[in-house]
Amino acid sequence: MLTAHTIKIIQSLDKKKYRQKYNLFLVEGNKIIKELPDSDYEIENLYSVEPENITFTTQEIEKILPNDLKKISFLQHPKDSVAVCKIPEDKILKDVSIQLILDGIQDPGNLGTIIRLADWFGIEQIICSNDTVDVYNPKVIQATMGSFLRVNVFYTDLEDYFKEYKHPILGTDMNGENIYETQFPEKFSLVFGNEGNGIRPSTEDLITKMITIPRFGNSQSTESLNVSMSAGIILGEIFSKK
């Protein structure tokens, strides 16, 4: 049985300040948990209602009752297992061909979907502004469907980062060059801005070129696209030309 202290600590991991305090985050569901041993993430504790279904050997596993699982899960309908994992040290990959830059993305679902898209298209790294939603937010982790294990997410001051960056920086906006007419360079960064405000002016000043997804509907009345939807369309176009 889980102690009240353990339950309290795990429940607190839905907040960024406690994830930082304990240097821990949660991964839920056997499907994702089974991938952890092949990643850079270390399991601190593993709680499962059916530990016999965990296909790798670990001393950290503990059998719990379904009622205990409900207490430590952040899901409305808890799955089979919960892994408490250590947050690894930040690292930045220096030589990547294409990387995504997120400037103030706030919605966990958007970040999780963009990480999943990056994984799908083989993009190894996402650079985030310091005010972008935390990658270890439980809703982000769940939305990635395990892709966070294969995409490096690094947080930094974008202005400082861009000043040292040597390749073209393409920004996404309602006004810009048509993506279907754009010749994309071999190495570049692709910037997506905040859901409501777009790319902030201080970041926009450092962008090489703006690109946009043209509207084809007769009414032209759709105000904008969801940022993760835009990312999928643009990445599809970029990789169709490779």
Side-chain angles (χ1 to χ4, degrees):
M1 180 180 289
L2 294 174
T3 65
H5 178 67
T6 298
I7 292 171
K8 184 178 179 180
I9 289 176
I10 295 175
Q11 287 176 340
S12 74
L13 298 180
D14 67 332
K15 294 182 173 60
K16 183 178 180 179
K17 67 177 181 179
Y18 291 111
R19 291 194 293 272
Q20 292 176 332
K21 176 181 178 179
Y22 298 115
N23 202 45
L24 299 171
F25 74 103
L26 237 57
V27 177
E28 301 201 44
N30 285 350
K31 186 175 181 180
I32 302 175
I33 289 171
K34 288 174 182 177
E35 297 184 61
L36 288 170
D38 297 322
S39 73
D40 294 334
Y41 291 92
E42 182 180 346
I43 298 172
E44 176 90 354
N45 298 103
L46 177 53
Y47 305 100
S48 180
V49 294
E50 296 179 334
E52 62 274 11
N53 290 335
I54 300 297
T55 55
F56 57 88
T57 303
T58 175
Q59 294 180 338
E60 287 75 25
I61 193 164
E62 180 179 334
K63 183 178 176 65
I64 60 172
L65 298 173
N67 191 49
D68 283 331
L69 183 65
K70 290 179 181 179
K71 292 176 183 177
I72 62 174
S73 173
F74 296 132
L75 300 176
Q76 187 173 2
H77 302 289
K79 297 190 177 181
D80 28 45
S81 307
V82 167
V84 181
C85 298
K86 294 180 181 178
I87 295 175
E89 285 189 26
D90 287 344
K91 63 179 180 180
I92 188 165
L93 307 180
K94 295 293 187 181
D95 188 29
V96 295
S97 297
I98 301 172
Q99 63 181 8
L100 304 184
I101 309 286
L102 305 183
D103 186 14
I105 298 296
Q106 294 299 299
D107 183 80
N110 280 334
L111 177 56
T113 301
I114 290 170
I115 292 171
R116 197 173 175 191
L117 282 166
D119 184 26
W120 183 268
F121 285 102
I123 292 173
E124 299 176 79
Q125 180 160 267
I126 297 175
I127 304 290
C128 296
S129 63
N130 287 319
D131 62 345
T132 290
V133 62
D134 181 25
V135 64
Y136 298 113
N137 180 305
K139 292 180 181 178
V140 175
I141 293 296
Q142 206 61 35
T144 71
M145 299 293 286
S147 288
F148 77 94
L149 298 169
R150 294 175 291 276
V151 179
N152 187 55
V153 180
F154 184 81
Y155 289 77
T156 189
D157 181 282
L158 294 187
E159 291 179 59
D160 292 342
Y161 178 76
F162 282 157
K163 287 172 184 175
E164 300 295 324
Y165 186 71
K166 305 299 182 185
H167 303 292
I169 303 165
L170 305 186
T172 57
D173 191 47
M174 293 297 291
N175 299 303
E177 183 178 301
N178 185 332
I179 63 165
Y180 302 113
E181 298 172 357
T182 299
Q183 295 299 312
F184 294 97
E186 283 298 310
K187 290 188 175 184
F188 67 97
S189 285
L190 181 62
V191 186
F192 293 92
N194 173 268
E195 291 90 341
N197 302 313
I199 299 170
R200 75 192 80 201
S202 58
T203 303
E204 191 172 334
D205 289 342
L206 301 168
I207 285 173
T208 309
K209 177 168 64 176
M210 285 291 186
I211 59 173
T212 193
I213 303 168
R215 286 182 287 192
F216 293 97
N218 291 330
S219 68
Q220 302 284 298
S221 58
T222 304
E223 187 175 306
S224 63
L225 289 173
N226 172 278
V227 64
S228 56
M229 185 184 295
S230 298
I233 293 170
I234 294 172
L235 289 174
E237 177 61 17
I238 291 169
F239 284 88
S240 74
K241 296 179 177 179
K242 288 191 170 293

